[in-house]
Amino acid sequence: MPLLNLGILAHVDAGKTSLTERLLHSVGITDEIGSVDAGTTRTDTLALERRRGITIKSAVVSFPVDDVTVNLIDTPGHPDFIAEVERVLGVLDGAVLVVSAVEGVQAQTRVLMRTLRRLRIPTLVFVNKIDRRGAREQDLLRDIARRLGAPVAPMGRTAGLGTREAAFRPGPEPAALDVLADHDDGLLTAYVENAVTPDRLHAALVRQTRQCLVHPVYFGSAVTGAGVDALIGGIRDLLPAADGDPDGPLSGTVFKVERGPAGEKTAYARIYSGTLRVRTPVQFGDAGAEGKVTAVSVFEHGCDIRREAVPAGRIAKLWGLADIRIGDPLGRPRKTESHFFAPPTLETVVVPGPGTHPGALHTALTQLAEQDPLIGLRHDEVRREISVSLYGEVQKEVVQATLADEYGLHVTFRETTPLCVERLTGTGAAVEFNGKDPNPFLATVGLRVEPAPVGAGVTFALEVELGSMPYAFFKAVEDTVGETLGQGPHGWPVPDCAVTMTHSGYSSRQSHAHQGFDKSMSSTGYDFRGLTPLVLTEALRRAGTRVYEPMHRFRIEAPADTLGALLPVLAGLGAVPGATETRGESCVLEGAVPAARVHALEQRLPGLTRGEGELESAFDHYAPVTRGSVPERARTDHNPLNRKEYLLNVTRRTAGRSD
């Protein structure tokens, strides 16, 4: 039986979850249509999702369409939960992008379509809410093609638009034939000769949809059911089935991890090749750890059903892999892009409320971060604080509510601040020699740091012979370099630089007569791990660093007569306007704004534009901080910038060490 792993994606409030509920009802999986407002939807299972009426976690539900089994994945629409969408995209065979017939193309709609096209995921467009007052058709089609930058093929016409009786009359429109002929010379010739048959048109539509050359557009209403049957037909006929050899080598990817009532992990995985069997050893993770899956279930007819094996193409729930993490490969890793969307650019400190034990909070936050790897935790042992990185304020509210609902922990947050980085302004080098003051460690370490291109990451190279000392000591230096670069002179990560080890040396194993190994006279990994931060920090200080803050590109569409009020506010927020285009009575303004000011811009825009302004923003780049004082970030290490303090802390913590 053919399988299709289908994603439903949309800007928040476009009706994505309502469409999912209507699809399940239309194919006979549910007797009643779940309501977002009433909190009775099938896919929004978290109490917080039902309370707020938004999707936070992706959910999988299965249904049959004739001979095709569809695994439908409902995803969040709010940009604060883009990490959840990112993980789903890698397991999809096709997608439905939902657009509101009233609000039209919105900020998240554009972000999603750009990513779908870049990943070449065949996508249908469903224009929802045709029964709502203000619903549009022809001008919205033009807007979709223009603003999404995607060729669209209308698959029918509406009737009674904007009324409760609104309907969709399926059948490819002439505009669809025009678009298809642009990519098919044979079809174009037949079109000119008036010899296009329905079968030939359908074959071209199937081929070009699966090649992501065109995107069929259906109109309808998830509330009334108008157009949904036509969409179901498009899902069945136009989107490609999952492929994969069930007899090949095992290859899969984990895209979601949950914890059960007893704390046990459940992993959601897509199998691309081979067959995963219960109680058979399986390798997982980048390090190739091995474990046994104790139970699996697959999705069928609206339920998850226990099975003994999962063949290629399937999505399954797995139990038994205690150390599994989101993004881990199963079996043979596949070549995939590391990230489709930008990482979080904001950070806040979590403050325990009355009665909240810091240890319990630490455990809970670690589990939440485990389920969302793009949300990073930062532990400050000195101040006993935990910082969490975020996409926005809504996500912060959700973390707060989740901690209260699921863990019984009450927290507040400090002010949200941007996550900056430090970039080298020059080259610097430092060295400390074994046996020479003021070096208290039995090690020689010399390091040179140089700027690297943006996005190059950190590289580590040797200018000394690899055989000049035990490999474990080189590895200790390399690992410690990576850790130390997490906090530059101003406390921010140093993401792009080349580090070269220029000097090395150690004390070989020493022993006294008639006695064993004397650790006090022999180098150990501790010496290299202790000395490296001092040398690297001095090299960074000599090279010099500059703090860069995250910048979002923005696009504002607003009435042209409000531009005069917008520009001074943008300037006050530190925004740098770019191109401005006037389109009749509206204008489009693009530019860059500090990530820390995006929330303020979102709050002020409605008042500045009579409620008609639309803002689209996304992380774009880091730019030097030019306003105010240089932001400093509190250190969470032993502060190698202060040699005396560092040595006091390190020697105190490692007294009586055993390497």
Side-chain angles (χ1 to χ4, degrees):
M1 190 173 187
L3 284 164
L4 168 64
N5 297 302
L6 177 74
I8 304 285
L9 302 96
H11 186 99
V12 66
D13 290 335
K16 170 179 47 57
T17 300
S18 297
L19 176 60
T20 299
E21 293 296 322
R22 173 61 69 173
L23 288 171
L24 295 177
H25 179 70
S26 296
V27 298
I29 293 297
T30 57
D31 295 328
E32 288 189 20
I33 299 174
S35 167
V36 174
D37 293 336
T40 57
T41 58
R42 183 72 175 267
T43 53
D44 285 347
T45 56
L46 298 178
L48 184 58
E49 291 178 314
R50 296 179 184 275
R51 201 161 61 238
R52 294 191 61 123
I54 61 173
T55 301
I56 297 169
K57 295 291 184 182
S58 59
V60 183
V61 65
S62 179
F63 61 86
V65 179
D66 296 336
D67 64 336
V68 178
T69 295
V70 178
N71 287 327
L72 187 150
I73 309 176
D74 186 19
T75 62
H78 198 285
D80 279 13
F81 309 109
I82 198 67
E84 197 69 23
V85 179
E86 174 181 56
R87 293 189 288 273
V88 169
L89 290 178
V91 305
L92 298 182
D93 303 306
V96 173
L97 182 64
V98 184
V99 179
S100 167
V102 180
E103 288 82 10
V105 174
Q106 296 172 280
Q108 189 76 344
T109 320
R110 287 163 53 90
V111 172
L112 291 169
M113 180 56 96
R114 279 198 302 266
T115 307
L116 288 165
R117 286 180 60 79
R118 180 162 58 84
L119 298 177
R120 300 192 62 78
I121 297 174
T123 302
L124 310 181
V125 178
F126 183 74
V127 178
N128 191 25
K129 304 183 182 181
I130 64 170
D131 57 320
R132 290 262 306 273
R133 179 184 298 179
R136 299 170 291 145
E137 181 180 3
Q138 292 304 314
D139 67 324
L140 181 55
L141 278 170
R142 290 190 292 270
D143 204 32
I144 290 173
R146 177 179 61 85
R147 296 193 59 194
L148 295 185
V152 295
M155 299 302 294
R157 296 290 298 270
T158 63
L161 192 66
T163 69
R164 188 72 178 177
E165 291 73 35
F168 179 68
R169 296 172 179 166
E173 290 293 297
L177 181 54
D178 291 340
V179 172
L180 292 169
D182 285 343
H183 301 97
D184 187 331
D185 291 341
L187 183 63
L188 178 59
T189 301
Y191 182 26
V192 172
E193 296 174 353
N194 199 27
V196 177
T197 64
D199 287 346
R200 181 163 192 173
L201 182 62
H202 181 73
L205 184 63
V206 171
R207 184 178 65 257
Q208 293 190 32
T209 300
R210 294 180 179 180
Q211 293 175 346
C212 302
L213 296 175
V214 301
H215 302 284
V217 180
Y218 298 84
F219 284 75
S221 168
V223 171
T224 67
V228 173
D229 287 342
L231 175 64
I232 291 173
I235 291 171
R236 177 195 60 213
D237 297 336
L238 302 181
L239 296 178
D243 59 6
D245 180 6
D247 298 320
L250 179 66
S251 178
T253 299
V254 174
F255 66 92
K256 179 178 178 178
V257 171
E258 292 179 337
R259 283 190 177 268
E264 73 280 8
K265 281 187 183 179
T266 305
Y268 289 68
R270 162 78 188 261
I271 307 301
Y272 297 100
S273 172
T275 299
L276 178 65
R277 303 182 189 280
V278 176
R279 292 180 294 279
T280 299
V282 58
Q283 285 192 329
F284 63 91
D286 295 331
E290 190 172 281
K292 284 187 180 181
V293 175
T294 57
V296 303
S297 66
V298 297
F299 298 91
E300 290 183 6
H301 297 275
C303 304
D304 51 291
I305 302 170
R306 290 298 177 101
R307 289 283 187 264
E308 288 298 307
V310 185
R314 283 279 192 180
I315 286 177
K317 294 170 69 174
L318 314 177
W319 286 265
L321 302 177
D323 297 324
I324 198 77
R325 293 176 57 85
I326 289 174
D328 277 353
L330 298 172
R332 180 179 296 179
R334 300 174 75 239
K335 291 183 178 179
T336 57
E337 296 186 58
S338 57
H339 289 300
F340 307 136
F341 301 104
T345 56
L346 302 172
E347 183 179 56
T348 185
V349 174
V350 186
V351 181
T356 294
H357 190 275
L361 177 59
H362 179 277
T363 300
L365 286 171
T366 299
Q367 291 185 3
L368 291 183
E370 190 178 70
Q371 298 171 33
D372 193 343
L374 289 186
I375 296 180
L377 296 183
R378 184 171 183 262
H379 306 281
D380 186 340
E381 295 183 7
V382 177
R383 296 167 188 79
R384 297 183 177 274
E385 293 178 346
I386 302 177
S387 300
V388 59
S389 55
L390 302 165
Y391 281 96
E393 296 297 319
V394 172
Q395 190 180 21
K396 186 164 70 174
E397 296 171 19
V398 168
V399 169
Q400 184 179 41
T402 303
L403 289 171
D405 293 348
E406 297 187 14
Y407 298 92
L409 303 175
H410 299 281
V411 302
T412 57
F413 299 93
R414 292 192 193 149
E415 182 184 4
T416 303
T417 57
L419 271 170
C420 299
V421 298
E422 294 184 51
R423 299 200 185 281
L424 295 175
T425 57
T427 298
V431 61
E432 296 207 21
F433 293 96
N434 184 5
K436 292 187 178 180
D437 287 338
N439 178 12
F441 299 100
L442 296 178
T444 294
V445 174
L447 297 171
R448 183 176 67 249
V449 294
E450 301 168 278
V454 174
V458 176
T459 60
F460 182 78
L462 299 177
E463 276 186 2
V464 295
E465 291 186 10
L466 187 58
S468 62
M469 66 180 186
Y471 173 75
F473 295 163
F474 286 113
K475 189 69 169 67
V477 173
E478 182 177 2
D479 291 347
T480 308
V481 162
E483 296 168 6
T484 305
L485 288 174
Q487 300 181 81
H490 296 282
W492 304 103
V494 184
D496 302 306
C497 65
V499 181
T500 304
M501 190 168 184
T502 58
H503 297 76
S504 65
Y506 74 109
S507 296
S508 57
R509 294 175 67 90
Q510 302 287 329
S511 62
H512 295 295
H514 311 297
Q515 296 181 14
F517 167 50
D518 188 346
K519 192 186 308 176
S520 67
M521 299 175 61
S522 309
S523 297
T524 65
Y526 151 79
D527 292 291
F528 289 90
R529 289 192 295 270
L531 180 58
T532 297
L534 289 173
V535 176
L536 181 57
T537 301
E538 179 60 20
L540 290 172
R541 188 189 65 77
R542 293 177 181 178
T545 64
R546 187 171 185 182
V547 176
Y548 283 61
E549 64 180 332
M551 300 290 290
H552 281 220
R553 64 178 180 275
F554 71 83
R555 181 183 186 276
I556 295 175
E557 188 163 346
D561 61 356
T562 64
L563 186 61
L566 272 172
L567 289 174
V569 172
L570 288 170
L573 294 174
V576 181
T580 304
E581 180 183 354
T582 302
R583 300 172 181 168
E585 296 182 354
S586 68
C587 69
V588 176
L589 178 64
E590 297 181 346
V593 62
R597 307 299 181 90
V598 171
H599 186 58
L601 180 56
E602 289 172 340
Q603 291 180 313
R604 299 194 63 177
L605 187 64
L608 295 167
T609 61
R610 302 189 296 273
E612 299 179 44
E614 179 186 313
L615 170 66
E616 175 186 342
S617 75
F619 171 77
D620 187 61
H621 66 283
Y622 288 94
V625 174
T626 57
R627 299 158 56 95
S629 58
V630 176
E632 301 281 339
R633 192 189 198 196
R635 304 189 71 88
T636 60
D637 57 10
H638 299 302
N639 192 16
L641 292 171
N642 184 324
R643 188 183 187 93
K644 183 177 180 180
E645 176 187 332
Y646 174 83
L647 291 175
L648 183 63
N649 284 320
V650 170
T651 54
R652 178 192 300 141
R653 290 175 62 87
T654 56
R657 70 186 184 278
S658 59
D659 280 315

